Every structure is written in C-alpha cells, then in structure tokens.
Amino acid sequence: MKPVLLVIAHGSRDPRHAATVHALVRRVRSLRPDVRVETGFLDFNIPSAQGVLESLAAEGVRDVVALPLLLTRAFHAKADIPAVLRDAPRQLRIRQAEVLGPSPLLLSALERRLYQAGLTPADKSSTGVVLASAGSTDPEAIAVIADIAREWRHTGWCAVRPAFASAALPRTEDAVRELRALGCAKVAVAPYVLAPGFLPDRIARGAAEADVLAEVLGAAPEVARVLLRRYETASARVLLPVSA
C-alpha cells in the first residue's frame, strides 16, 4: 500500500492562502487517484499537521510521506517541520520529502504565468524579469534564488534579477528600476511564491512600475507534478521510525 502523502503548508491569516493550497492538493489528487493526499498546516489554519498525523495514526495508517509545501530549504523545512514530525505518534513511519524547488518544472510554470499575464515568446529577448521571492534569513535559501535567476537568464530573457519581499535585498521595486536602467524594453515581475498572502501582496506593490505582474504559482500543473516527483522519491527511501 502506498504511503499517505501529507502536504504540510505554512498557513496564513489570509484566506486566499488556504484556498490555494487546497486547490493544489485537489489537482494532485486528480493526477494520482491511487495516492491518499492529506493537508496540514504549521500555523493559522486547520487542520494542523500534528492533528492530521494523530488522526492517521488513530486510523491505523503506518507509512507517511510528509512533504513541505515550500520552495526553498529555509527555517520551516529545516526546523519547524522536523520538530512536528519528531512529535508524531511513534507507530507512524514518516519520511520527509524534499522541498519543491529548485526544479525546471517550476521555471516552466513561472514562464507560463508571465505569458498568461500578457507577455509573448517574442517579448522574451527584450524583457527583463524580476524573480520575486518571499525572502529568508537563511543564506542557503537566498543563494538558491540567485542561482535560479542566473539559470533562467540563460533561457533567453534580456535579464533576470532576484528580489525579496522580506529579510533580504533587493526589494522588488529596486530590481524593477535596475532592469529599466539596463535598457530592457519591458520589465516583468514573476512571483516565486506558491500562494497569495501578505508577502506576495508586498511583491505586487513593488511591481507597480513594471509592465507585467504574473500571478503566483498556485495550483499550476507543473507545481503538482513536482510535488508528486518529490513524493515518489521519498517513498522509495528506506522506511525508518521518526524516533530513529
């Protein structure tokens, strides 16, 4: 029997966040009806990840893949989620999957969002893109965003610059102005975030001087496919008790 997939999202006071998470999970279920998929939140929303784990154990479930609904390995993936899993019922055998990013599929999703927002492939070579993420105090997470920006630049954009809504610089508006100064004919902002909320709204405000603002990644099919790949990779690992 396949392990239950527990998608662990951060949670937010903004109701759009949970709605987007649930839409993504519905897409995942539609792609893999043979896999049981549950959703839990670290904060603000219910059910909590801890509560879902306890419910699964009470049902007699043994094997779980816990997947952080995160784009980078920062504090939540390194500390918060492992802490929740350590406190899970001991009869559960849990494997923590890797975060979603980086992935070529996510770059494809970002690009598709830009085209949905009004760009065309013909605009690519003359358009500068701001890769706008939520931000983190974790140097590893910041370095990953910079690496993604460099990789994406090599696919034909005029230029790609990383930006952050919090904890790191530059801000979205500063990156927009930098691309204008470089001489890009158009400037587009691509939010590298999964769901709407406080920081994505800050990114949107920072995009006021841009020509194009894409939607968040949300329930994009590419995101669902990455999520399932992470699940399959984790499922293939040797099972160990959480307490081990």
Side-chain angles (χ1 to χ4, degrees), residues 3-230:
V4 172
L5 169 56
L6 172 59
V7 176
I8 302 180
H10 181 271
S12 171
R13 292 186 178 90
D14 189 320
R16 297 173 297 169
H17 175 90
T20 302
V21 170
H22 290 310
L24 174 60
V25 169
R26 285 195 297 272
R27 185 180 287 275
V28 171
R29 288 180 179 136
S30 71
L31 291 173
R32 289 294 303 273
D34 60 317
V35 175
R36 178 177 174 181
V37 187
E38 299 292 342
T39 309
F41 296 89
L42 292 175
D43 207 353
F44 301 117
N45 301 107
I46 54 172
S48 69
Q50 183 67 35
V52 175
L53 290 167
E54 290 171 359
S55 295
L56 290 173
E59 288 180 32
V61 170
R62 293 297 304 278
D63 297 325
V64 177
V65 169
L67 189 145
L69 196 61
L70 302 166
L71 293 172
T72 59
R73 267 183 50 79
F75 184 79
H76 297 303
K78 294 178 179 179
D80 285 347
I81 291 175
V84 169
L85 301 185
R86 283 194 298 272
D87 289 339
R90 296 179 66 85
Q91 63 265 41
L92 292 176
R93 296 180 295 194
I94 305 175
R95 288 153 292 185
Q96 181 175 333
E98 294 297 324
V99 297
L100 299 182
S103 167
L105 281 171
L106 295 180
L107 281 182
S108 297
L110 287 167
E111 202 148 305
R112 193 164 57 79
R113 289 291 192 231
L114 286 172
Y115 295 148
Q116 290 172 338
L119 291 179
T120 70
D123 295 319
K124 197 167 183 177
S125 63
S126 60
T127 300
V129 179
V130 178
L131 179 68
S133 76
S136 173
T137 57
D138 189 304
E140 178 187 347
I142 298 302
V144 165
I145 300 301
D147 288 343
I148 293 169
R150 281 192 292 271
E151 178 183 348
W152 203 13
R153 164 67 182 84
H154 294 315
T155 66
W157 295 100
C158 174
V160 180
R161 294 289 185 271
F164 307 94
S166 68
L169 297 173
R171 294 287 184 257
T172 301
E173 52 269 34
D174 297 324
V176 168
R177 294 181 189 119
E178 180 186 351
L179 291 171
R180 290 274 187 228
L182 281 176
C184 298
K186 290 184 178 180
V187 176
V189 174
Y192 190 59
V193 293
L194 287 167
F198 177 76
L199 293 178
D201 284 350
R202 181 179 288 176
I203 290 171
R205 290 193 297 272
E209 297 179 17
D211 300 292
V212 172
L213 170 63
E215 294 292 328
V216 300
L217 291 169
E222 297 91 343
V223 177
R225 287 164 59 198
V226 174
L227 194 155
L228 285 169
R229 288 185 182 182
R230 299 290 186 258

